[in-house]
Amino acid sequence: MKNLLILTALLSSVAYAAPNAEALYDTHCLSCHAPNRLGGMGPTLLPESLARLKRPEAIKAIADGLPATQMPGFKDLLKPDEISALADFIYTPPTHPPKWDAADITASRIVHQDALTLPAKPVFKADPMNITLVVEHGDHHITVLDGDIMEPIVRFPTRYALHGGPKFTPDGRFVYWATRDGWITKFDLWNLTVVAETRVGINTRNVAVASDGKTVLAANYLPHTLVKLDARDLSLIEVIPVIAANGKSSRVSAVYDARPRNSYIAALKDIPEVWEIPYDGRPPRPIVLQDHLDDFFFDPGYAYILGASRSAPKGQVIHLDSGRKIAELDLGGMPHLGSGITWDWKDSNGQTRRVMASPNLKDGLVTVIDMQTWQPIKTIPTAGPGFFLRSHEASPYAWADVFFGKHRDVMHVIDKQSLKIVADLKPIPGQTATHVEFDRYGKFALVSIWEMDGALIVYDAKTLKEIKRLPMKRPVGKYNVWNKTRLSEGTSH
Ligand code: HEC
């Protein structure tokens, strides 16, 4: 009997030592973060979703809450070991793979407006083709800027954590964006209102819009699918499972519109294939590769992709029609081809060639390659690895950030003909300067100061003089309607 008592005491102390995280979740978190951690009013809490959140930050969020949001603090309600168990729990994969199928997608759809009943002209005076959207990650907002004078027209809240760039219809009226947790939003820029929303997945990378404006295609990490929606009202057209011939499925890193091909192209993360998905509903065409390519660049005619992979040391040039590798790219480090840009460059004989330049995620350099021979013609040393390189047809300069390392407050300005750095800007010492985007005419260059209390700095693109600063909450990407819909050579698409 006495032994039994000791055993019971021991058992209960064991139970105390290991709080039941799942039960705690159901009691305290489920109401906002939803059953199975799939996300509802609060974001999805699965390991894939939390890739950018470090465990100590998660513990702090659970204990103290997140200021100026609806996430409450639990330190008065839960013991430290319970909070710690909850943190472990949210980084643990669920026992059953989470499901998000056609029925879930269809049931999630919210139609806010019938776009046909809204006036087909802008409610503002600004040039609708020179609008620039700024995505503010710090507090999940979008600012709409008048590109002629660089003044905000409106600022509004979005769903949690936009992922990938917003994509415009060719007329510039509608814009679509994806969130980390799988929501696709259609927004009417002329009426400044949300039209419809559909949740296409649990963890989503980005969305692309067909150049005929009829469909949108979303790339998912979770589940392993591509989801095609009707561009008018975001109703579901098709769920495309991403499975190779050998039965292995894959996450989709990103999807792009390939306008001249009347198709979309998808980059796959887990199988060495790139998929071409025709607009017209024919089945995807897998292009089988030697290596995984999860970061790539299209030549301006969409005949080739230039791809890099984390596993292979050299980049590759793939001819899309034949599916063949036609050249290797000897670029060194880890080129960020997805951020590559092109322009016409005159060589020493006065001959014009199309060149492509890309920043490098690992080494402090920008590489310039000849797009006919695919050979590097110049390596420009920078103050550290960078993320974005940007320019505009009307500008003689390319702007390269130094995103990683101690010089992340520096922005290099490169002369596109001499291929030399001609100016180093340091907008705010000690604060990360990144991602440049231009207005429609290439008159202004906008630099993001990527901090919670950050800013957008407007430069005169010719004189490189600062014109003004607009305060913003961790602004990252900027998207100009004209440059994005007209496939400006100085930005990505
Ligand atoms: C009243 C609703 C609500 C409850 C209850 C709630 N949360 Fe949250 N939680 C939110 C919202 C909203 C956010 C997003 C805040 C923001 O905008 O940054 C959030 C964010 C978080 C984040 C940060 C996610 C990220 O991607 O950065 C974590 C971690 C988190 N919650 C964990 C929990 C846990 C664990 C519980 C239960 C103990 C819980 N939350 C209870 C609403 C809630």
Side-chain angles (χ1 to χ4, degrees):
M1 188 63 189
K2 199 174 163 204
N3 281 348
L4 198 64
L5 274 177
I6 290 170
L7 191 65
T8 322
L10 260 176
L11 276 177
S12 63
S13 76
V14 168
Y16 174 75
N20 181 342
E22 196 159 355
L24 287 170
Y25 178 88
D26 288 353
T27 311
H28 299 288
C29 323
L30 177 144
S31 59
C32 294
H33 291 281
N36 304 321
R37 297 181 268 153
L38 289 189
M41 193 277 269
T44 308
L45 297 178
L46 291 170
E48 289 84 356
S49 323
L50 300 172
R52 288 198 190 153
L53 187 74
K54 296 191 187 82
R55 194 176 177 278
E57 291 164 2
I59 291 195
K60 193 171 181 314
I62 303 168
D64 302 337
L66 290 165
T69 78
Q70 307 212 50
M71 170 66 194
F74 288 89
K75 64 171 180 287
D76 298 333
L77 214 60
L78 299 173
K79 301 193 189 74
D81 63 336
E82 291 175 319
I83 291 177
S84 170
L86 274 167
D88 290 342
F89 175 65
I90 61 176
Y91 287 99
T92 308
T95 34
H96 300 289
K99 149 190 116 67
W100 200 262
D101 59 18
D104 298 306
I105 296 170
T106 298
S108 71
R109 188 166 74 108
I110 307 165
V111 178
H112 297 267
Q113 301 276 350
D114 177 356
L116 289 176
T117 66
L118 295 168
K121 76 180 212 315
V123 293
F124 46 80
K125 288 213 182 67
D127 171 5
M129 292 310 286
N130 197 15
I131 295 290
T132 295
L133 300 189
V134 187
V135 174
E136 295 180 61
H137 272 269
D139 62 353
H140 313 289
H141 277 66
I142 286 182
T143 293
V144 180
L145 289 179
D146 174 340
D148 289 335
I149 53 171
M150 288 302 163
E151 278 297 320
I153 297 172
V154 68
R155 180 177 194 270
F156 57 87
T158 66
R159 283 184 183 270
Y160 191 80
L162 264 56
H163 212 284
K167 299 289 163 62
F168 303 99
T169 47
D171 61 3
R173 172 168 174 188
F174 297 105
V175 56
Y176 302 82
W177 57 77
T179 73
R180 183 197 81 181
D181 294 349
W183 284 97
I184 307 299
T185 298
K186 174 177 181 174
F187 188 84
D188 182 341
L189 263 179
W190 292 359
N191 291 287
L192 300 174
T193 184
V194 174
V195 176
E197 297 175 288
T198 296
R199 190 174 185 192
V200 293
I202 297 164
N203 191 253
T204 296
R205 300 290 291 179
N206 79 334
V207 67
V209 181
S211 58
D212 61 10
K214 288 189 180 145
T215 58
V216 302
L217 191 66
N220 284 332
Y221 259 16
L222 248 186
H224 292 179
T225 54
L226 285 152
V227 177
K228 194 189 262 184
L229 304 176
D230 187 323
R232 273 175 312 180
D233 58 3
L234 298 188
S235 56
L236 177 65
I237 296 176
E238 190 187 5
V239 177
I240 305 170
V242 180
I243 303 173
N246 66 5
K248 186 171 164 39
S249 70
S250 176
R251 292 172 286 177
V252 186
S253 302
V255 60
Y256 306 91
D257 173 53
R259 177 178 299 197
R261 310 180 66 82
N262 284 313
S263 64
Y264 296 100
I265 303 279
L268 308 188
K269 182 92 181 160
D270 307 307
I271 51 185
E273 295 181 1
V274 167
W275 280 18
E276 176 160 33
I277 302 107
Y279 288 166
D280 63 12
R282 277 175 296 149
R285 176 173 82 101
I287 299 166
V288 179
L289 310 168
Q290 284 160 355
D291 295 297
H292 299 81
L293 294 188
D294 51 15
D295 169 37
F296 57 61
F297 173 82
F298 293 95
D299 76 302
Y302 287 81
Y304 303 97
I305 48 175
L306 280 57
S309 86
R310 308 279 130 110
S311 52
K314 283 195 177 164
Q316 312 173 22
V317 183
I318 310 286
H319 180 244
L320 278 170
D321 280 340
S322 67
R324 291 232 171 80
K325 174 164 95 176
I326 56 140
E328 284 192 333
L329 295 169
D330 201 357
L331 297 177
M334 194 188 284
H336 187 209
L337 295 175
S339 189
I341 59 170
T342 67
W343 67 85
D344 282 335
W345 175 75
K346 271 205 183 70
D347 66 15
S348 49
N349 303 322
Q351 287 227 321
T352 301
R353 308 151 181 246
R354 182 104 308 222
V355 296
M356 184 269 193
S358 127
N360 201 293
L361 299 168
K362 214 169 100 202
D363 297 340
L365 50 94
V366 166
T367 327
V368 186
I369 60 167
D370 181 326
M371 293 193 72
Q372 214 143 38
T373 61
W374 307 114
Q375 294 301 313
I377 53 170
K378 175 100 188 209
T379 299
I380 305 166
T382 61
F387 205 85
F388 292 108
L389 182 69
R390 289 288 192 260
S391 185
H392 187 278
E393 289 77 349
S395 168
Y397 305 122
W399 297 55
D401 66 15
V402 188
F403 197 77
F404 307 97
K406 66 175 194 290
H407 299 295
R408 60 203 167 77
D409 52 1
V410 172
M411 183 65 70
H412 293 307
V413 181
I414 297 168
D415 182 298
K416 280 155 66 178
Q417 292 308 319
S418 72
L419 307 182
K420 291 202 171 103
I421 295 175
V422 290
D424 280 344
L425 304 174
K426 200 185 262 195
I428 304 183
Q431 301 200 356
T432 307
T434 184
H435 191 278
V436 174
E437 188 63 60
F438 292 77
D439 67 298
R440 163 177 184 175
Y441 304 102
K443 211 168 113 196
F444 303 116
L446 314 177
V447 176
S448 287
I449 300 299
W450 197 61
E451 308 281 342
M452 191 53 163
D453 288 309
L456 196 69
I457 309 209
V458 182
Y459 285 93
D460 181 313
K462 223 180 242 135
T463 64
L464 309 180
K465 291 256 154 37
E466 181 179 325
I467 295 175
K468 63 169 138 184
R469 302 184 171 197
L470 305 169
M472 302 255 170
K473 296 285 184 197
R474 194 169 286 141
V476 60
K478 297 165 290 294
Y479 306 85
N480 178 270
V481 174
W482 182 267
N483 294 341
K484 293 293 181 185
T485 58
R486 299 308 186 266
L487 305 184
S488 161
E489 66 184 24
T491 187
S492 65
H493 303 286

